[in-house]
Amino acid sequence: MDADVLVVGGGLAGLVAATEIAAKGKRVYLLEQEPHLGGQAYWSFGGLFLVNSPEQRRLGIRDSLELARQDWFGAAGFDREEDYWGRLFAEAYLDFAAGEKRAWLAALGVRFFPVVGWAERGGGLATGHGNSVPRFHIVWGTGPGLLAPFLRRVRELEEKGFLKVLLRHRAEEVLVEGGKAVGVTGVVLEPDPVPRGAPSSRRPVGEFRYLAQAVVLATGGLGANLDLVRRFWPERMGRPPGRMLSGVPDHVDGSGLFLAERAGARLINLDRMWHYPEGVENHTPIWSHHGIRILPGPSALWLDATGKRLPPPLFPGFDALETLRHLRNTGWDWSWFLLDLKTLAKEFALSGSEQNPDLTGKSWLQVVRNRLFGPSRPVRTFLQRGKDFLVAEDLSELMRQMDALAPGVLDPMQLEREVKARDRELLHPFSKDAQILALRGFRHYLGDRLFRVAKPHPFLGGRGGPLVAVRLWTLTRKTLGGIQTDLKGRALTPKGEPLPGLFAAGEAAGFGGGGVHGYKALEGTFLGGCLFSGLLAARGVAEGLE
């Protein structure tokens, strides 16, 4: 026996599982195919879903477990027999988010930006999709800040001899003997000093075979494998896009899912995905088809490729998947944001640790400067270098530039009519425009008024400076299905029975149970799902080894 436990995958879920198990005195091997630990979490904005937190209460946000449960289940829409464990995971995760989650992270040294964000604001009904209140807690230091305490624990446990990290080890098969997972085989890849996130060499220089009492798969999803995204694209979302951008590095290829299936585990809900309709091509790509998501405030006009405004409640930041579904039925792969520079300066942010050097670098001065006197440097760079960003002094010139990017698609008369109609609604304190009514309501929240929502004003007439149009593409991100597990993280077979010795956590497990989010997520729940499912898998493994 080489180790007590093998953990495959060095992302956040794998780090949590490996360090929790090793901290109990068990010998753990952590296998990671890339040259770096941290996985996708390193690139994340660091948002975490918390319920009734001190940060919320300080801002006057009245949240509760009951309200969070209403929102979660309204978004998830669980309706399948195989949702049984996903439902139980959802209940357990909500208790975690309203209970021990924040204290556990605080004990590890994780701190939060004091202003709570309001993501996925909803589909318009109390019982439907969306967050009723702001719950998006940004880790001070973003993704790297969240990873830091777990990487520190890795080093400490390595020094004590309980944990061994094996980089460039690509698992290719789970060894199963007598119906029990007993180890992992694979190849050792050649050293490759590529920057984090860049495609790394797949040339093997050796093989390995490790035996253990338990195997934990934390191998991630399939978001970078565009062929698999199209293969599992759900019919309910329309036709898959001809052109997509990738929001995750190339190694997020889905191979770990099928490794589990070959071992006898059940894969479920692979047609449930979380992709964004607000992707823009990265001007300095790191991985293949590298896209960045715009984190929009709610004021921009969202237009389809022809210039027709999207129907309510498909406004920026409200309901990502419903907006994507609508756009996939327009017949075009892209859509547009239209706003002015003043609104953009207040409302535009970009997702990811590298696009938020102020928060990632923990610079209060830069945070205040960017949020109050934006746009931030990364946003300005996209304005100057981004292929999808257009700036013009008047609407006619802007429409000319938009048409030049996609000749013959835009209907200028339609677009002009949409913008002028919207502006007329701002000439009086009343309105029938649902987006404008929402903007006025959002500004009652201090966090939105200070950092996120511009004071409503007409886009035409020059009051807000030059006009801006941004062409948007589908950006792949998360797999909401995966290996079905129980609440102990044990991988289940097609018969619903635990496969002895095999566990799963993180995105590979649909963040728990094979689909804790159901059809839709509430944001801030992916990193948290890695934390929670990693914890439960570690506890399940430890229980099995006692």
Side-chain angles (χ1 to χ4, degrees):
M1 195 69 63
D2 297 289
D4 294 316
V5 181
L6 301 174
V7 177
V8 183
L12 182 58
L15 291 173
V16 172
T19 54
E20 287 290 315
I21 296 167
K24 292 178 169 60
K26 307 301 181 183
R27 292 178 298 116
V28 179
Y29 283 6
L30 176 59
L31 282 60
E32 168 58 50
Q33 69 176 0
E34 295 305 304
H36 311 278
L37 294 176
Q40 299 175 61
Y42 178 87
W43 302 100
S44 74
F45 194 34
L48 289 174
F49 179 95
L50 296 172
V51 178
N52 192 27
S53 69
E55 289 78 15
Q56 288 176 301
R57 293 194 294 271
R58 280 195 289 268
L59 290 165
I61 301 166
R62 298 182 64 181
D63 199 4
S64 68
L65 179 58
E66 294 75 20
L67 184 60
R69 187 185 188 281
Q70 174 179 295
D71 290 347
W72 190 291
F73 280 81
F78 294 119
D79 62 359
R80 297 175 178 175
E81 183 179 349
E82 55 265 39
D83 286 333
Y84 174 78
W85 287 108
R87 286 174 176 269
L88 292 182
F89 246 97
E91 295 280 11
Y93 179 71
L94 287 165
D95 287 337
F96 178 66
E100 67 174 298
K101 181 179 179 180
R102 189 184 181 282
W104 174 62
L105 290 172
L108 291 170
V110 175
R111 300 292 181 265
F112 294 99
F113 185 62
V115 178
V116 182
W118 196 351
E120 288 296 293
R121 298 176 186 235
L125 295 176
T127 56
H129 173 67
N131 286 293
S132 297
V133 298
R135 296 192 178 102
F136 193 79
H137 295 69
I138 301 170
V139 171
W140 188 233
T142 66
L146 180 59
L147 284 170
F150 299 102
L151 294 174
R152 183 172 60 249
R153 292 185 80 192
V154 166
R155 292 190 295 270
E156 293 169 352
L157 290 163
E158 278 188 298
E159 292 174 359
K160 294 177 180 178
F162 293 116
L163 180 61
K164 184 176 183 179
V165 176
L166 299 165
L167 298 176
R168 304 299 284 157
H169 279 59
R170 179 178 174 85
E172 297 194 333
E173 294 295 335
V174 175
L175 292 171
V176 179
E177 295 179 0
K180 182 181 189 299
V182 297
V184 171
T185 66
V187 296
V188 180
L189 303 175
E190 69 175 346
D192 192 350
V194 295
R196 181 188 292 272
S200 62
S201 169
R202 288 293 178 265
R203 190 174 78 86
V205 294
E207 298 179 349
F208 66 85
R209 182 178 187 270
Y210 295 124
L211 300 179
Q213 298 181 61
V215 176
V216 181
L217 298 179
T219 51
L222 53 79
N225 190 329
L226 301 187
D227 290 337
L228 284 181
V229 170
R230 292 188 175 96
R231 174 181 165 188
F232 292 109
W233 188 273
E235 290 186 10
R236 65 182 178 274
M237 295 296 291
R239 293 175 59 86
R243 182 179 192 249
M244 288 187 281
L245 301 176
S246 177
V248 292
D250 291 45
H251 61 80
V252 187
D253 60 7
S255 59
L257 295 172
F258 302 104
L259 181 151
E261 186 177 49
R262 290 193 299 273
R266 184 188 187 194
L267 301 183
I268 60 172
N269 297 323
L270 293 185
D271 66 323
R272 291 178 179 171
M273 307 175 181
W274 188 258
H275 306 313
Y276 293 108
E278 315 105 323
V280 291
E281 184 177 341
N282 195 348
H283 54 77
T284 310
I286 298 172
W287 53 78
S288 304
H289 314 290
H290 190 173
I292 298 294
R293 184 201 175 197
I294 294 175
L295 297 173
S299 297
L301 280 180
W302 204 332
L303 310 162
D304 69 18
T306 70
K308 183 179 180 180
R309 192 173 173 190
L310 303 194
L314 308 184
F315 308 130
F318 277 60
D319 190 333
L321 286 194
E322 188 60 25
T323 304
L324 180 58
R325 186 200 64 78
H326 175 86
L327 291 172
R328 291 312 313 133
N329 286 286
T330 66
W332 307 101
D333 283 351
W334 69 93
S335 61
W336 297 95
F337 279 161
L338 190 148
L339 66 170
D340 59 28
L341 192 59
K342 181 178 180 180
T343 303
L344 179 145
K346 178 89 168 186
E347 296 195 359
F348 263 32
L350 300 167
S351 183
S353 56
E354 84 284 13
Q355 299 296 331
N356 293 274
D358 50 358
L359 289 163
T360 303
K362 302 181 180 181
S363 170
W364 281 110
L365 178 61
Q366 288 300 320
V367 167
V368 172
R369 182 178 297 168
N370 288 337
R371 270 56 185 179
L372 297 183
F373 308 105
S376 66
R377 179 176 56 79
V379 173
R380 290 200 307 272
T381 302
F382 266 92
L383 279 168
Q384 297 162 1
R385 300 177 58 190
K387 295 180 181 179
D388 300 306
F389 284 72
L390 306 174
V391 182
E393 291 297 327
D394 58 62
L395 186 60
S396 295
E397 171 59 19
L398 187 69
M399 291 190 295
R400 186 196 67 76
Q401 293 183 37
M402 294 166 72
D403 183 65
L405 276 186
V409 177
L410 187 71
D411 181 343
M413 293 181 64
Q414 170 76 36
L415 190 152
E416 185 174 9
R417 187 162 56 246
E418 297 283 14
V419 180
K420 288 184 175 179
R422 179 261 184 199
D423 280 5
R424 287 191 196 100
E425 292 291 304
L426 289 163
L427 299 179
H428 49 76
F430 311 98
S431 181
K432 67 177 181 180
D433 190 298
Q435 186 174 12
I436 292 172
L437 291 172
L439 297 179
R440 289 170 173 164
F442 294 151
R443 284 178 57 83
H444 290 301
Y445 168 47
L446 179 63
D448 273 352
R449 191 164 67 251
L450 289 177
F451 293 107
R452 204 72 181 109
V453 182
K455 185 176 181 180
H457 61 271
F459 287 154
L460 303 180
R463 176 178 170 182
L467 295 174
V468 180
V470 186
R471 185 164 61 164
L472 309 169
W473 304 91
T474 300
L475 178 74
T476 67
R477 189 59 64 91
K478 295 298 181 186
T479 312
L480 299 187
I483 304 164
Q484 190 175 36
T485 68
D486 63 13
L487 285 177
K488 295 181 180 180
R490 298 181 297 184
L492 303 180
T493 69
K495 293 182 178 181
E497 302 169 348
L499 199 165
L502 188 62
F503 297 76
E507 191 175 352
F511 301 93
V516 68
H517 299 96
Y519 288 93
K520 293 181 179 179
L522 291 178
E523 288 288 21
T525 58
F526 301 136
L527 292 173
C530 289
L531 295 170
F532 186 57
S533 62
L535 270 177
L536 292 194
R539 292 168 183 171
V541 168
E543 179 183 312
L545 295 180
E546 290 175 356

